[in-house]
Every structure is written in C-alpha cells, then in structure tokens.
Amino acid sequence: MQRMFWPAWMGVLAMLLPASSSTPGEEFRRLPLAEYRDKMEAAWLGQMAGVGWGGPTEFHAQGRILREDEIPAWRPDMINQFHQDDIYVEMTFLRTLEQYGWDVSQRQAGIDFANSRYPLWHANRNGRDNLRSGIAPPDSGHPQFNRHADDIDYQIEADFSGIISPGMPNAVIALGEKFGRLMNYGDGLYGGQFVGGMYAEAFFESDPARLVEAGLRCIPAQSQYAECIRDVLAWWRASPDDWQAVWKKINDKYHLNPDYRRASCSKGDFNIDAKLNGAYIVMGLLYGRRDIDRTIIISTRCGQDSDCNPSNAAGILFATLGVSKVPERFTSALNRETVFSHTEYNFDRLIQVCERLAKDAVVRQGGRIERDADGNEVLLIPLAEPKPGPLEQCWEPGPIAGSRYTDEERAKILYPPGER
C-alpha cells in the first residue's frame, strides 16, 4: 500500500491547482501581450545564444578562469542550438503542461520525464532512472535515492518556469515543486526556483541587481544557495570593477571549502554543484552591465558548466530587452523551422505554446486579460509576495514520502533504468 504523506512543500505546489481570485483593491502590473511575446521570444533566443557561444568551453576550466583566447568568436549561426540538452530537456516539461494543463499531477510529469529518450547525466539521469524503476516523485529527487540531488540540473532547465510566469513568482516556485523534484532537492531545487524567479521579474525589471534580489525572494533565505548569492551581491558592490577578484572569493568559499560541498557529487576540481554555478550566472548579469557580449563572456570565463551558466544569464538579459532590441547578429541566422531534438517544437510553435500557457497562468493566479483602446490584449498580473517552501538540505534531508508508482502507472513507463 502506498504510504500517505503530506510534506510542507506540497502546500506550495497546491497554489497552482485551484484558480485564484483577485481581491478588492489588489494591485496589478500591466503587460501588453505583444510586449510579453517580444520578451518571451527573446528569452529563448538568449538561452540559445549563451549555450551556443559557451558550448565549446564546457568544463574546460575547473577551478580556474578561462583565458580570453579560449572564448570563441560569435558567429550568427551559433544561435541555432537545436541539439542542446540545455534547451530541449525543459521542453519535456512544457509538453507535459501543454498536454495536461497546469493541473497536471507530479506523478504524470514523472512518467513523461521517464519516457524521454535523450542522454542525461547527474541528477537528471539518476532521477529518470529512479522514475523508471518505480520510485515516484518527490522521492525520485530525494538524496536517499539520488546522490546528485544538489547538482545543477533543474537550474539548467528552469528557464521555462519564469518564461511562462511573467511577474508571477509563486507560479515559478510551484513549478519547481512539481518538476524540479523529479531530480533535485534542497539547493539543487532552489537553483531552479532562483533562476525562474529572475526570468519572471525580467518582464518588468531590467536592473541586474534587482533581478538577482527577485530571484532570492523565491528561495529560503537560510539556504546555502541564498547565502552564496547574497555573498556575490555584497562582493560585487564592494568591487564593482574587478570581477576576477570576486571570482576568487567565490572559488575560495564555494569550491575549495568542503563545508559548502557537503552534498557535491564530486569533491575534486570538477564542480557541478548548483550554487557555485548559480554564482557564475549572477557574475555575468552583474558584471555584464546589461551588455550582451560582456554578460555571456564573463559567465563563460568563470568556468565549470560554462555553457549552461551563460545560457541562463543571457536568457534573463534578453528577456529584459525583447527581440526588438536584440542586435541583428543574434537574430539574423535563426532557423524558425527546424524542430528541437526530442521535442514537438520548432521555434514558432514553441512561442505559441508559451504564450498560451502564460495567459492561462495569469488567470489562474488571479489576474485577467483585457483589451486596450486599440483592441490589443493586455495581461493584468496581480502583485504577489513570493512564498518559498521550507528549508531543506541535501546533507540533512527530511523524510522520504514513500512514493511509488502503481502497477498501472508503471505500465505507462516504456523504458527500463539505464536505457536512453
């Protein structure tokens, strides 16, 4: 018999299930649908630009700064990243939402992820193997079953959560509870909620420090992840013109100090811990000063997962700009027809699905869609204070949920553990 369990995080997840209703006097932020579409499309382009530019350097620098001559020159065709796991894995989650709606169960999300056929590593691979062996979420991402639970994986994939939740941090948090727990826990989960929170705010805010602070409000303040990001903000304010000095502070505390690698899957130079790589996203945003090239190059030169980190940073930055303000060298060669590997989406269909999901989210979160004097749709999004879940730590995890798939559910999982 499946054990019944109602951990505190499920209260966060439940925020997405019923549609919310607004209250008298509630404040709203207005986002014309055309502006949302412009920024949303740019967010995807930013991810593609960051991973395309940083891709040749991935893990070439472990515990060191990449030299300038190790960074390739940008070419417009680099935008066409249709075979990058940094891009297509999160589209599995979008597809689940497209097919089943925002009320989709976490168990169904796990079945869909279990049936993905792309190669995976670290928390993603371990989580998917758990799902295929019958360990249902949230246990598939629990440290008892997943030794990679503090790794970067959901952080890489969480862009979608903010892209379809403009100005709605609690929708981002809840999407993390639903999809991030398929493979992550603790700081590994918080990294994705942090990134998603920055994306959600990027539709209304362009200042990098304020974006970082918005992301921080989406995760527990007592977590090591939040401590790391607060440190980067403080060190940046103390040394606004010397990113390499701040990189050394990050490396000393969050790479070389074992107290901040208690759940790392590797203790050597290779470090795929979410918080260290999250710091490198923030480095690009803060020291990039809203310049695209500088943002991507600094995030890349920080090293470690140096294609994923600039992808997150550039996606957030591009979202603040919108396609209309992105230089032509990042848009001119885009192939809008090619389908992303392992997905149902070419670029245009991706944009259409995100727009529909975002409009659904606005209504579910207590907002509404109106038309302006010219008949154009405008999203009215209620202001809401983020409500992060309770603190969890991979090195001192809470109890498992005892979640297992039923025989009927397991019959829907098509592949055994370890098979691509």
Side-chain angles (χ1 to χ4, degrees):
M1 178 181 293
Q2 185 175 316
R3 178 177 155 202
M4 299 301 293
F5 191 78
W6 187 262
W9 63 263
M10 289 191 72
V12 180
L13 180 58
M15 289 190 296
L16 273 187
L17 301 183
S20 305
S21 59
S22 57
T23 56
E26 189 170 16
E27 293 186 74
F28 292 85
R29 295 199 281 192
R30 296 175 62 86
L31 181 63
L33 183 62
E35 182 179 342
Y36 167 71
R37 190 183 298 119
D38 185 54
K39 289 174 175 284
M40 176 260 288
E41 185 170 327
W44 285 107
L45 283 172
Q47 288 186 71
M48 296 162 74
V51 74
W53 201 345
T57 73
E58 184 182 21
F59 287 109
H60 286 199
Q62 299 173 20
R64 70 173 179 89
I65 294 174
L66 278 160
R67 302 185 311 274
E68 287 186 54
D69 63 5
E70 293 179 273
I71 305 296
W74 172 258
R75 302 187 317 274
D77 66 316
M78 285 179 170
I79 201 69
N80 292 313
Q81 298 297 316
F82 299 104
H83 307 291
Q84 275 280 0
D85 61 321
D86 307 63
I87 305 291
Y88 61 66
V89 173
E90 64 193 275
M91 294 183 193
T92 301
F93 309 146
L94 277 174
R95 179 65 172 162
T96 294
L97 290 167
E98 179 191 9
Q99 288 184 295
Y100 299 100
W102 285 84
D103 285 335
V104 64
S105 72
Q106 188 183 54
R107 297 172 77 88
Q108 180 62 52
I111 290 170
D112 291 350
F113 188 51
N115 285 331
S116 63
R117 294 305 306 274
Y118 34 69
L120 289 173
W121 297 268
H122 294 275
N124 277 333
R125 175 65 178 269
N126 210 161
R128 187 173 69 179
D129 281 349
N130 285 338
L131 295 165
R132 290 177 172 181
S133 68
I135 300 173
D139 283 349
S140 55
H142 192 282
Q144 181 169 319
F145 303 103
N146 193 329
R147 71 182 185 87
H148 296 272
D150 245 6
D151 287 358
I152 195 176
D153 302 58
Y154 184 61
Q155 180 168 287
I156 298 170
E157 300 145 11
D159 313 70
F160 85 98
S161 68
I163 288 172
I164 63 173
S165 307
M168 294 175 281
N170 289 315
V172 167
I173 293 167
L175 285 169
E177 299 294 341
K178 182 170 291 190
F179 292 99
R181 289 186 181 276
L182 302 181
M183 75 294 288
N184 281 108
Y185 186 94
D187 284 341
L189 170 63
Y190 303 149
Q193 292 171 321
F194 170 69
V195 165
M198 288 193 287
Y199 270 101
E201 189 64 16
F203 290 92
F204 296 95
E205 177 62 66
S206 61
D207 180 80
R210 290 177 182 161
L211 290 172
V212 173
E213 289 162 351
L216 274 174
R217 291 194 290 272
C218 293
I219 64 175
Q222 316 96 303
S223 64
Q224 281 194 352
Y225 196 105
E227 179 185 351
C228 177
I229 302 305
R230 287 195 301 268
D231 277 346
V232 178
L233 275 169
W235 294 334
W236 163 71
R237 287 178 172 129
S239 301
D241 299 313
D242 192 351
W243 74 266
Q244 296 194 36
V246 172
W247 180 93
K248 186 177 187 308
K249 290 178 182 289
I250 296 168
N251 195 64
D252 287 347
K253 182 171 180 179
Y254 292 100
H255 178 60
L256 298 178
N257 185 343
D259 288 344
Y260 289 91
R261 297 188 65 179
R262 282 183 276 181
S264 290
C265 66
S266 169
K267 307 299 183 184
D269 289 338
F270 174 85
N271 193 338
I272 202 166
D273 187 272
K275 56 186 168 289
L276 177 75
N277 288 280
Y280 296 160
I281 297 169
V282 172
M283 288 284 280
L285 288 168
L286 295 177
Y287 284 97
R289 299 170 185 162
R290 304 200 69 237
D291 177 89
I292 291 173
D293 293 40
R294 185 174 171 84
T295 296
I296 293 174
I297 288 170
I298 289 175
S299 189
T300 301
R301 289 189 65 195
C302 285
Q304 296 294 351
D305 204 339
S306 56
D307 61 345
C308 298
N309 301 330
S311 182
N312 290 135
I316 294 161
L317 175 60
F318 275 46
T320 70
L321 298 170
V323 173
S324 57
K325 295 180 181 177
V326 170
E328 186 179 359
R329 61 199 168 91
F330 293 105
T331 62
S332 61
L334 175 66
N335 182 332
R336 305 182 79 99
E337 303 302 322
T338 297
V339 174
F340 291 90
S341 295
H342 309 284
T343 81
E344 303 291 324
Y345 307 126
N346 62 17
F347 194 83
D348 286 337
R349 181 145 190 269
L350 173 68
I351 300 311
Q352 292 166 5
V353 168
C354 288
E355 180 179 319
R356 180 170 66 78
L357 289 170
K359 290 170 75 173
D360 289 347
V362 168
V363 175
R364 296 184 65 81
Q365 292 293 305
R368 59 184 183 271
I369 301 169
E370 296 184 346
R371 292 191 181 272
D372 63 17
D374 296 320
N376 301 310
E377 288 183 294
V378 179
L379 309 178
L380 271 68
I381 301 166
L383 281 170
E385 188 66 25
K387 298 176 182 177
L391 177 67
E392 298 173 336
Q393 300 173 133
C394 282
W395 53 92
E396 294 176 347
I400 64 170
S403 51
R404 297 294 182 272
Y405 280 122
T406 65
D407 289 343
E408 183 179 2
E409 289 171 321
R410 291 194 70 173
K412 299 176 183 178
I413 296 176
L414 306 178
Y415 309 108
E419 181 178 316
R420 290 184 178 177

